Amino acid sequence: MTPLAQQALASGLLQGLIYSFIALGLLLTFGVLKVANFAHGYFVAGGMYVVYMVGPSSFGAYLLSLLVAFAVGLAAGLIVERVVLEKTLIAGGEHMGMRTLVPTFAVALIIQNLLLILVSSPVISLKNPYPFSAVRIGSAVLEPSRLVGTVLSLIFGLAVMVLLYRSRFGLLVRACVQSNRGAVICGVNIRKSYRFVFAGASGLAAVAGGLILPFTTAPATVGFEITLKAFLVVIIGGMASVRGLIIAGIFFGLVEAFITAYVSGALALAVLFGFFVVIVLIRPSGLSKAMN
Amino acid sequence: MLKKLSYNSVILSIGLVVAIALPFFVGRSLQAVAIITVMYALMATAWNFAGGYGSQVSFAQMIAFAIGAYMVAWSSLNSTVNVWVFVLLAMVLSAVIGFAIGSLLSQRRIEQFYFVVVTLALTEVMRGLVATRYDLGGLAGLQVPLEGYGLELLQFRNKVGFYWILLVALLITLAVIGLVLRRTMFGKSLLLVRDDRDYASSMGINVPRVNGLTLAFSFTVTAFAGAVYTQYLRFASPQVSLTLDINIVILLSVMVGGVATIAGPIYGAVIFIAGQEILSRTIGSGTNLNRFSEIAFAVLVLIVVGNFPHGLAGLQRRRRGLTQLDLARVDSDSGEQR
């Protein structure tokens, strides 16, 4: 393999795992609340801005700022769920994704403008907060932030999975994914599940934002791009399984990295989204089923 | 028997009189506001036809807008043929692309939320393609040179000319939509497809064709708006002519004004633009002003959508009980022809 291909493979893989982590919150929201949360990427952007505003200079401070981002995301998610979504959710009915489309877009608009008011510089970035510099694997050079960011997001993702599959709370959440009505009948406090899942997903989104900030120069409008990418990952992953999500995330990361390396960085997004449209046209149920 | 006038028709009639009288009484800066407002109203009306009366919550409108924008911008730089030829060409091309997108996605049963995400992705694809084309100016965009003034050149010494053109286009669009919905089979099948696709196709309605034609009409109008707006700004770029922000604002303003109503998109456009203007007059302009006004607008959206599902134009509905649309829905449920 040529060095360029190795580089693309390594960075695409890492980027893909981070995409999966970002999309995990979206998948949970969609699975439990049946809400297509178009504000998800804006929560990620919010996390970026929180970490940027804290401005950590050491590794310890950076971890602390991630915690702050998580807390802010959690609180914001709780408020949004309670104030904006809960009435519609409790009323229930079909096409929840469409009925919450407009409210989540409105929330996205609010978050984006708040961020623009809070931070006046058009682009934000953070210098390497980690105590070591670039790592060489084969002939691929990896930034520490990308590497550790991926490892941390894997750990957090794993923690979410453990919570989902090995705890009572997770059992209740999975009951809601299977059938909200059935869960209510069995005595699950569905409002509580809604609230926890939405707030948790928002908190995780904010942490993801903090993780990607050190290797991203983000314009304030980055939230939209992240939302769209996360949605594509969730849809291609089949909208149901975490395994599909991870495969789709890695697929996305690799496609993006190879197009950027071999064709053109400016075209990468267009080709990526074009890929997505073609895949959805051929197989609307997502890739994971195609693999089985 | 004299039909009782609805509030909306009274407000719209007064609004029309005001709209015609307005340019004669206001100064240059307010005229600019009026031009933008009418453009948004035109685009929102076009969106509402596909996304409100139809079932296609489209985020691909900016594709048509950009076709109109780039067609006139490119032609003014590279061709001596009259600009109106290119306006027509853009409208035809947008109609074809709109039909292709609408019917193909409908045929593949990509609907609802999937439709939203796919059209979002399509707009981003178009954006990436335009931004990397150097003959279209790339990210920097194209400047439209001034060749003279006159209706035949679609350039006006007094910018109010753009206002009249957009206003006429808006009135024609409204008339066409009203006629199609009330008088044609197509209008009835459109509502039926939205409310119950399977029932519609069992009635023998060609659903992909209906969806394709709906989006084609919506695209045609939007392309015209894009062409006129570009002539007005004398500038086209991915940032201005192909930004999803405009599409999102249009969606939100239709929701505030009243989705699937004739008056709704106009109310929404007036509130969004006029709201921004009033805020800038009262608070005074600053760099963050637009941001605060967008937040205020988003809060208004949340309040209206949460409490009045038919928006401001539908306030009367609660009192009157059943409406035209509800009746159409009842029809589609019971299978009776009206």
Side-chain angles (χ1 to χ4, degrees):
Chain A
M1 231 191 314
T2 64
L4 186 61
Q6 281 186 29
Q7 181 71 43
L9 187 69
S11 57
L13 202 67
L14 297 185
Q15 188 70 35
L17 284 167
I18 290 179
Y19 283 156
S20 304
F21 180 57
I22 292 175
L24 180 65
L26 199 61
L27 181 74
L28 282 176
T29 317
F30 197 85
V32 177
L33 286 78
K34 314 288 183 275
V35 167
N37 181 15
F38 277 89
H40 190 74
Y42 295 81
F43 280 106
V44 177
M48 287 176 158
Y49 272 74
V50 169
V51 171
Y52 172 78
M53 279 186 273
V54 173
S57 50
S58 68
F59 185 56
Y62 177 63
L63 286 183
L64 207 67
S65 70
L66 286 182
L67 204 66
V68 175
F70 181 71
V72 173
L74 204 70
L78 210 58
I79 294 170
V80 168
E81 200 278 341
R82 184 70 195 84
V83 177
V84 178
L85 296 174
E86 197 158 284
K87 202 171 134 192
T88 320
L89 290 174
I90 298 302
E94 271 186 71
H95 301 314
M96 191 55 80
M98 290 310 282
R99 280 158 55 210
T100 51
L101 177 84
V102 174
T104 56
F105 262 118
V107 168
L109 202 61
I110 293 175
I111 295 177
Q112 170 153 335
N113 283 296
L114 275 180
L115 296 181
L116 283 166
I117 290 168
L118 286 174
V119 175
S120 53
S121 71
V123 173
I124 63 167
S125 62
L126 191 71
K127 69 178 198 325
N128 179 20
Y130 298 101
F132 55 94
S133 52
V135 179
R136 261 184 108 82
I137 300 172
S139 53
V141 181
L142 296 171
E143 299 131 286
S145 48
R146 216 179 265 273
L147 198 63
V148 183
T150 312
V151 172
L152 284 179
S153 61
L154 267 180
I155 293 172
F156 292 144
L158 216 63
V160 174
M161 300 310 295
V162 169
L163 187 68
L164 273 181
Y165 286 94
R166 290 282 180 273
S167 75
R168 193 182 141 69
F169 168 72
L171 186 73
L172 301 184
V173 167
R174 280 182 294 135
C176 293
V177 175
Q178 278 182 6
S179 163
N180 285 344
R181 186 184 289 253
V184 169
I185 291 169
C186 293
V188 175
N189 185 343
I190 198 163
R191 282 181 195 228
K192 219 160 143 188
S193 308
Y194 285 167
R195 240 172 252 177
F196 273 112
V197 168
F198 195 86
S202 309
L204 286 178
V207 170
L211 287 177
I212 60 177
L213 180 63
F215 58 91
T216 333
T217 40
T221 48
V222 73
F224 180 75
E225 192 187 309
I226 297 174
T227 299
L228 194 50
K229 279 183 179 169
F231 265 115
L232 306 199
V233 170
V234 170
I235 289 178
I236 296 218
M239 306 206 74
S241 71
V242 176
R243 197 185 56 158
L245 191 77
I246 293 170
I247 295 172
I250 292 174
F251 171 77
F252 252 66
L254 286 177
V255 170
E256 191 183 19
F258 274 93
I259 296 166
T260 309
Y262 284 99
V263 189
S264 135
L267 262 181
L269 271 186
V271 176
L272 195 65
F273 293 152
F275 245 113
F276 163 78
V277 173
V278 172
I279 289 171
V280 169
L281 280 176
I282 296 170
R283 191 165 278 276
S285 52
L287 262 193
S288 70
K289 273 190 189 150
M291 285 171 180
N292 287 340
Chain B
M1 199 175 80
L2 196 69
K3 250 170 75 178
K4 211 179 131 194
L5 281 171
S6 73
Y7 294 127
N8 283 329
S9 45
V10 174
I11 293 174
L12 278 190
S13 316
I14 296 171
L16 183 61
V17 174
V18 172
I20 291 172
L22 192 71
F24 301 109
F25 293 102
V26 299
R28 191 158 288 224
S29 68
L30 263 183
Q31 281 177 0
V33 176
I35 292 169
I36 307 288
T37 309
V38 180
M39 189 204 71
Y40 268 89
L42 182 62
M43 289 181 68
T45 303
W47 184 92
N48 190 38
F49 186 64
Y53 292 111
S55 52
Q56 295 162 303
V57 177
S58 162
F59 281 88
Q61 300 299 97
M62 296 316 282
I63 292 178
F65 192 85
I67 290 174
Y70 275 97
M71 201 71 109
V72 295
W74 186 86
S75 77
S76 68
L77 290 166
N78 297 294
S79 159
T80 49
V81 182
N82 185 281
V83 65
W84 281 99
V85 175
F86 286 93
V87 174
L88 279 180
L89 209 62
M91 289 166 78
V92 172
L93 184 62
S94 308
V96 171
I97 290 177
F99 185 82
I101 294 176
S103 57
L104 188 63
L105 295 188
S106 173
Q107 200 190 1
R108 299 296 299 163
R109 301 216 67 153
I110 294 167
E111 292 161 340
Q112 305 280 346
F113 152 73
Y114 283 83
F115 187 87
V116 171
V117 180
V118 169
T119 48
L120 281 172
L122 281 174
T123 305
E124 288 295 312
V125 170
M126 173 92 172
R127 196 179 143 87
L129 292 179
V130 170
T132 48
R133 285 289 297 257
Y134 294 106
D135 50 344
L136 292 179
L139 275 174
L142 292 176
Q143 208 86 36
V144 178
L146 196 59
E147 285 159 353
Y149 296 106
L151 182 61
E152 71 281 359
L153 292 172
L154 196 50
Q155 273 301 346
F156 303 97
R157 195 180 298 275
N158 186 350
K159 297 278 187 189
V160 168
F162 292 106
Y163 177 80
W164 294 123
I165 287 221
L166 288 168
L167 191 64
V168 168
L170 177 63
L171 292 176
I172 293 174
T173 308
L174 286 173
V176 170
I177 291 178
L179 279 177
V180 165
L181 287 175
R182 281 190 192 170
R183 300 254 185 268
T184 65
M185 269 313 284
F186 180 80
K188 290 201 166 70
S189 38
L190 181 62
L191 299 179
L192 200 57
V193 165
R194 179 196 63 184
D195 290 337
D196 191 341
R197 183 203 155 114
D198 293 329
Y199 179 70
S201 74
S202 77
M203 295 270 290
I205 294 170
N206 185 343
V207 175
R209 187 174 157 270
V210 169
N211 280 335
L213 288 175
T214 311
L215 204 59
F217 178 73
S218 184
F219 266 36
T220 310
V221 175
T222 308
F224 183 78
V228 175
Y229 190 60
T230 302
Q231 290 290 98
Y232 167 65
L233 286 184
R234 295 209 281 115
F235 182 60
S237 80
Q239 201 69 281
V240 173
S241 318
L242 225 133
T243 164
L244 273 163
D245 293 353
I246 295 182
N247 206 329
I248 292 171
V249 163
I250 283 170
L251 165 83
L252 295 183
S253 53
V254 171
M255 292 299 153
V256 168
V259 68
T261 61
I262 290 286
I266 300 169
Y267 291 175
V270 170
I271 288 170
F272 180 70
I273 305 291
Q276 248 179 13
E277 189 59 18
I278 288 166
L279 276 177
S280 77
R281 295 280 151 124
T282 49
I283 305 173
S285 59
T287 46
N288 278 336
L289 182 83
N290 275 351
R291 286 153 198 171
F292 279 114
S293 77
E294 278 195 18
I295 290 177
F297 179 64
V299 171
L300 179 70
V301 169
L302 287 175
I303 294 170
V304 171
V305 170
N307 300 296
F308 313 103
H310 295 287
L312 298 179
L315 284 179
Q316 208 183 351
R317 290 189 180 190
R318 289 187 150 186
R319 250 168 284 157
R320 268 201 320 200
L322 281 181
T323 63
Q324 200 78 15
L325 276 166
D326 296 327
L327 285 174
R329 205 166 287 145
V330 170
D331 279 356
S332 70
D333 286 342
S334 60
E336 284 166 20
Q337 289 272 329
R338 264 195 324 136

